[in-house]
Amino acid sequence: MDKGSFSLKLPRWVRRFVTDHSQMCYDLRERMDWVIDLAREALFRRSGGPFAAAVFDMETEHLVTAGVNMVTSLSCSVLHAEIAAIVAAQQQLKDFDLASVGSGRYQLVTSTEPCTMCLGAIIWSGVRSVVCGARDEDARAVGFDEGPKPADWAGELNRRGIEVVGDIRRTEAVKVLAEYKNLGREIYNSRRSDGQ
């Protein structure tokens, strides 16, 4: 790769996981079950943190693509699952604004509510809906720093025309977070979280 270029390449196993399911239709709970299964698989494959996300076309209900957290495996703090899923969808659909391509109605399904960085990415991505499993407080409970999100982050997305649905399969999503912690995997917040 040219030093000045950027392209996201998902792990081969994720690409197979997506290809095997790309034509399948899912209802909301089935979508979340699929994303949680992907997060669990990422946990065992040591791809990064215990998080996964996927982009679905809301018109056809088909899976567009997915992403997993790759912070520790690729040594890149911004490679959260939501970012990976959004970038992969934008690259696949060849447009930075998902609201202006294809059906223009794409949904991000994420195993855990977005952190402050992912919240910003969602706002600019063009997705029209965000579906979350575990809550921010669940990620914080195992030690992840989710950043300074507005208290009414869901309301802010709603005001921007992005629907937010939470607590879909929350119990199952929390189990993946707990399993990550119980296995002693790295909680990868900045080593300098003291503001210096």
Side-chain angles (χ1 to χ4, degrees), residues 8-50:
L8 177 68
K9 188 169 184 179
L10 295 169
R12 184 172 296 153
W13 71 266
V14 174
R15 293 193 309 264
R16 276 195 307 267
F17 210 89
V18 169
T19 301
D20 291 347
H21 298 90
S22 63
Q23 294 304 311
M24 297 180 73
C25 297
Y26 299 98
D27 70 22
L28 204 53
R29 292 182 185 281
E30 290 170 328
R31 290 178 193 176
M32 184 58 73
D33 286 339
W34 189 86
V35 167
I36 291 169
D37 286 346
L38 184 61
R40 188 172 291 110
E41 187 69 18
L43 169 73
F44 290 112
R45 291 187 181 259
R46 295 180 177 261
S47 291

Side-chain angles (χ1 to χ4, degrees), residues 70-82:
M70 297 179 285
V71 169
T72 57
S73 62
L74 294 182
S75 298
C76 183
S77 63
V78 300
L79 285 181
H80 289 197
E82 297 94 331

